[in-house]
Amino acid sequence: FEDLEIAEKSAVTILSIKEGLIGPARQRNDAAVSLSEMIADTVANMGLPDGVVEMDWSANMPLAHVDARQVEQVFNNLIKNAWEAMLTTPAPKIVVQGRRDSDPNFVLVTVKDNGPGIPKEIQEKIWVSFFTTKGGSGGTGLGLSAVMQIVDQHGGKIWLESEAGKGAIFFVRLPVEKI
């Protein structure tokens, strides 16, 4: 059984690396997507404890014009990373908010956590392929690199604001559905 566990863990790691490398290069199928519905479904399938993720959507938030599969990977990764960063946080909370951006051609979704934050000295490094803060605990260092690539390919933008000890906020700007 121990050998099977090792093989399974290796297979999961390999699939994660493959998805990190190939996912952003996959043929896109852009369509009108309700980010609120997509992210709610993503969170429901993650198996996080009730009440950890709070969602707040603007009433006038338009549909995004994106590849749903790829953008789902973006938010799955951001929420999973936030959750994993808060393993020692007493009352972990992730807040996902969406609204129309100040530029009406975009929507803005933020993923905010109350975890330990990301030290300034590594904030630029987190976007680099194979950089991980997870050491031997399963991170491949491809998640945020793939996230940035996917957002860039959609003509969007992603950035981070964080202070050590004060959590992190990831901002994801994506194009709206053209009417």
Side-chain angles (χ1 to χ4, degrees):
F1 283 116
E2 190 176 323
D3 288 346
L4 285 175
E5 284 179 19
I6 292 169
E8 181 183 17
K9 200 171 197 175
S10 297
V12 167
T13 300
I14 290 167
L15 288 172
S16 178
I17 290 170
K18 178 192 92 57
E19 187 58 31
L21 292 171
I22 296 173
R26 188 180 288 119
Q27 175 88 31
R28 284 199 5 224
N29 185 16
D30 290 0
V33 174
S34 166
L35 293 177
S36 61
E37 288 176 20
M38 182 193 62
I39 295 170
D41 289 345
T42 299
V43 169
N45 291 328
M46 292 178 84
L48 299 175
D50 287 344
V52 167
V53 180
E54 180 182 304
M55 292 194 234
D56 178 24
W57 300 100
S58 171
N60 69 342
M61 184 158 164
L63 298 176
H65 186 73
V66 296
D67 180 287
R69 187 171 170 195
Q70 288 189 355
V71 171
E72 181 179 9
Q73 182 183 345
V74 166
F75 291 103
N76 183 65
N77 191 289
L78 292 176
I79 294 166
K80 180 177 78 67
N81 282 356
W83 174 247
E84 290 173 354
M86 296 189 300
L87 293 178
T88 60
T89 301
K93 184 60 108 184
I94 300 168
V95 179
V96 180
Q97 293 181 303
R99 61 180 167 81
R100 186 181 283 274
D101 189 65
S102 56
D103 177 335
N105 295 311
F106 292 89
V107 292
L108 182 67
V109 178
T110 58
V111 178
K112 177 181 180 178
D113 68 63
N114 64 341
I118 300 170
K120 292 270 184 239
E121 60 272 12
I122 67 166
Q123 287 184 13
E124 291 301 316
K125 295 176 186 174
I126 65 169
W127 307 107
V128 177
S129 295
F130 302 108
F131 177 81
T132 181
T133 59
K134 296 178 185 172
S137 65
T140 61
L142 290 171
L144 288 175
S145 173
V147 161
M148 177 173 263
Q149 210 174 349
I150 290 167
V151 172
D152 285 350
Q153 287 172 357
H154 281 82
K157 182 179 178 184
I158 184 168
W159 68 97
L160 153 77
E161 289 180 8
S162 181
E163 283 185 51
K166 295 187 178 179
I169 307 173
F170 283 85
F171 296 82
V172 181
R173 192 172 184 234
L174 293 166
V176 299
E177 176 65 9
K178 289 142 185 77
I179 299 170

